[in-house]
Amino acid sequence: MTSLVETHARMERLLALLPERTPSEGTMRQYRGVHERMRRAGCYDPMACACPASYNRARAALHFCARETLLRLKADLEARSRAGERKAASLTAEALALYLDRVEPAILAHPPCADPDYRAASPFRAKPDAPRRGAGSKKHSLKDKPADWREQVFAATPETSPYKAAIAAMCLSTCRVGEYAETIRDQQYSPGVRVIKRDGLLEIFTIAQKSHGGKYGLSMSGVTVAIAQGGAPAAHLATMCDEAGGAIEIAVESTEGLRKAVGRIAARLGFSNVSPNSFRAQCIADGKVTLPNAEMVAAGAGHCSIRSQSRYGRAEHGRRGGGGLVGTFSERQPRPASVERMVRFEAMRLTRAIERGRAPPRFAA
């Protein structure tokens, strides 16, 4: 009986803190939905609730629904006690005590305020000192590096390194790290990255890794580099081409080893967050300020649409004529718009959802 008295007293103290409010029917439905999601998640704290509501709305839902639930349990407990249903009253008291244990700490930590702003953004989701999304990506890390950081990485690579030629090609081209592997790609043999020397120029190209037979990318793409402006990496590849009769094929035994080698060399130079993809992002950034249009940049990167360039280096991080870049080429012309590609991806998602027995996504025919 003492436990029931204490539980009843706790309930009365908590009800005294919760003001009586009469929101509209629509707002009440929203509050009850938020409260139900809190209950399923097992957390009533509005600062940590797993629901899309803002902090103030989650707090208002907690206060309104907690008062509503406590009043209902109180009425049920009193009715069963008057009727002499001891077992039913005991079960109701246990449910009341359990609910109080869960919501009381959250209400005491976030008490009601006199004039809550239900539309305000959550204080824990919009912190002024929080870094912007993607701030640590390769694209955004380019602004912290000197203009010749690629040449410094190449110069620091030992002559005996098995990745010397691959790093030289990365300094000049937009090839992905996986394209430096000898493999079968898109039902055709890919020896890695090919380099051809013609009339003071280097043509560096490969079969794009993510083209899927040219369906979602360009099956063959590359860049044209002037040897005189390409610096030490271009001179190194030109010398290798002369020794091999005009053309070479660059392939590494381990693309993971290439990643680690690049990271170690860059770390010794004091450059952080550097990987082979950093070279690709820098070359695309150079192309945005060097080449006359976005289609040429997409062709060199192996993109079938110009929209994909937004994920890579920005123009303000590029160098005009950086790395001796003078042009690009591809097996076919990139599309200036991505409407057809978006429709194709939506159709693919719809087919996969139906095959897996899931609810189909929104489909735009």
Side-chain angles (χ1 to χ4, degrees):
M1 192 64 181
T2 304
S3 177
L4 179 58
V5 172
E6 292 179 352
T7 300
H8 191 274
R10 289 174 60 196
M11 177 188 65
E12 291 295 343
R13 287 195 300 269
L14 202 58
L15 283 173
L17 293 175
L18 300 174
E20 183 179 356
R21 291 174 179 152
T22 55
S24 64
E25 289 293 332
T27 303
M28 283 194 292
R29 285 196 299 269
Q30 293 179 10
Y31 286 171
R32 287 164 184 159
V34 173
H35 185 263
E36 177 63 18
R37 286 192 289 269
M38 289 179 173
R39 185 192 66 80
R40 292 180 181 179
C43 177
Y44 289 93
D45 189 345
M47 289 285 285
C49 62
C51 63
S54 67
Y55 165 72
N56 286 289
R57 183 166 293 276
R59 184 180 61 174
L62 171 65
H63 297 160
F64 175 79
C65 294
R67 179 180 176 83
E68 188 179 56
T69 304
L70 289 173
L71 290 175
R72 185 172 61 249
L73 290 172
K74 176 184 178 181
D76 189 28
L77 179 62
E78 292 176 351
R80 292 182 178 183
S81 297
R82 286 193 300 267
E85 301 175 359
R86 294 185 177 180
K87 186 175 181 180
S90 177
L91 292 175
T92 303
E94 291 179 4
L96 177 59
L98 179 61
Y99 184 72
L100 285 171
D101 291 339
R102 292 183 175 179
V103 300
E104 188 176 24
I107 293 175
L108 294 179
H110 307 279
C113 60
D115 188 17
D117 183 6
Y118 302 138
R119 296 172 297 176
S122 170
F124 65 93
R125 294 184 185 176
K127 296 182 179 179
D129 56 345
R132 59 179 294 181
R133 183 180 179 184
S137 66
K138 301 297 182 292
K139 174 176 68 175
H140 293 289
S141 66
L142 296 178
K143 65 179 183 298
D144 301 325
K145 297 178 175 61
D148 61 340
W149 71 269
R150 290 175 296 178
E151 288 77 6
Q152 292 187 41
V153 172
F154 173 76
T157 305
E159 293 293 333
T160 57
S161 173
Y163 307 112
K164 185 78 172 180
I167 292 177
M170 285 193 301
C171 292
L172 305 171
S173 71
T174 59
C175 298
R176 301 176 178 90
V177 63
E179 294 166 358
Y180 288 90
E182 182 179 6
T183 184
I184 301 295
R185 188 179 300 124
D186 290 340
Q187 299 181 352
Q188 54 183 317
Y189 171 69
S190 175
V193 175
R194 304 178 185 181
V195 183
I196 299 177
K197 180 183 178 184
R198 291 195 182 105
D199 302 327
L201 300 175
L202 293 177
E203 296 179 357
I204 307 174
F205 62 96
T206 186
I207 299 173
Q209 186 179 15
K210 298 182 179 180
S211 68
H212 300 282
K215 189 175 183 181
Y216 303 120
L218 306 179
S219 56
M220 188 279 294
S221 61
V223 299
T224 303
V225 175
I227 300 175
Q229 286 78 40
H236 180 78
L237 294 180
T239 301
M240 293 182 65
C241 289
D242 291 338
E243 295 174 352
I248 59 173
E249 296 171 351
I250 303 174
V252 297
E253 294 184 0
S254 171
T255 55
E256 186 62 27
L258 176 58
R259 286 191 183 94
K260 292 180 180 179
V262 169
R264 285 194 298 265
I265 297 170
R268 287 198 297 267
L269 295 173
F271 301 146
S272 60
N273 197 18
V274 172
S275 74
N277 196 51
S278 303
F279 290 81
R280 175 175 167 83
Q282 184 67 70
C283 290
I284 293 177
D286 293 344
K288 290 179 179 180
V289 296
T290 301
L291 302 176
N293 54 62
E295 285 78 6
M296 292 185 66
V297 180
H303 295 153
C304 67
S305 170
I306 63 174
R307 185 175 182 179
S308 302
Q309 299 169 23
S310 62
R311 297 180 177 271
Y312 294 87
R314 296 178 175 178
E316 58 263 30
H317 304 149
R319 296 180 298 170
R320 182 167 297 278
L325 180 66
V326 296
T328 63
F329 56 92
S330 60
E331 191 172 7
R332 61 186 178 90
Q333 183 71 13
R335 292 192 303 272
S338 58
V339 176
E340 178 186 348
R341 181 173 181 265
M342 291 173 62
V343 171
R344 193 160 56 236
F345 269 116
E346 288 294 335
M348 181 179 66
R349 290 176 58 205
L350 176 63
T351 303
R352 289 180 178 177
I354 294 174
E355 291 174 351
R356 297 172 182 175
R358 299 177 180 175
R362 297 178 64 182
F363 175 66

